[in-house]
Amino acid sequence: MGYSSSLIQRKFKDIVGKRYDSVLKDYSEFLLTDEEMVVPEIRSILVPLDLFVHDITDEAIDVLSAYDATISLAYITDAEVIELLKQALDRESTEEFRSKKEEYGRKLLERTAARLEEHGFSTQTRMFVGHKGDDVVRMAKNHDMVALCRRYADGESTDVSVSPIVLRICQRVETPVLIY
């Protein structure tokens, strides 16, 4: 018998009587299971970056500091954008765009890694061209947590909501996700 079942049985044993099973069924979704009560050990955290993630917030750093983890920063340039540019522009213009994006990515990775290292984190950096949502889901399998900026892969919208790519990543990964 799990913790939640035993709690409900003790709490409602005399009050509910024969309705115990229906109470357990109705309220079980509000109680943690034994598996959910185990706090996972977080040793590696994936932080994907792109053009729309300008900086990691102080609040996110405070939360991440609760873990003794290595932070893997990954700057991903969207492969679909590069492909569209190849079709619309000449090779030289496409390469110029790509090199500018890579330069921006290098600077963002360096700045973010330096900021995290100031707070005592061990960091790793990686930069590549890929599919932002799919690659994050794939890389998340090798990490204990994913920390996503709400504007990741969102564009320059003024809306403060979470980007659709971030929501899709959250639905597809099995590791805990921190949205900052």
Side-chain angles (χ1 to χ4, degrees), residues 96-133:
E96 180 182 345
F97 173 83
R98 184 174 175 171
S99 66
K100 285 183 180 182
K101 292 303 174 203
E102 287 177 354
E103 180 62 28
Y104 175 82
R106 268 191 286 281
K107 288 179 181 177
L108 180 61
L109 284 170
E110 289 170 4
R111 187 176 68 236
T112 306
R115 186 155 184 240
L116 290 169
E117 288 167 1
E118 286 175 5
H119 288 87
F121 291 103
S122 171
T123 62
Q124 300 172 344
T125 60
R126 181 177 178 195
M127 184 169 57
F128 61 94
V129 175
H131 301 280
K132 294 180 179 187

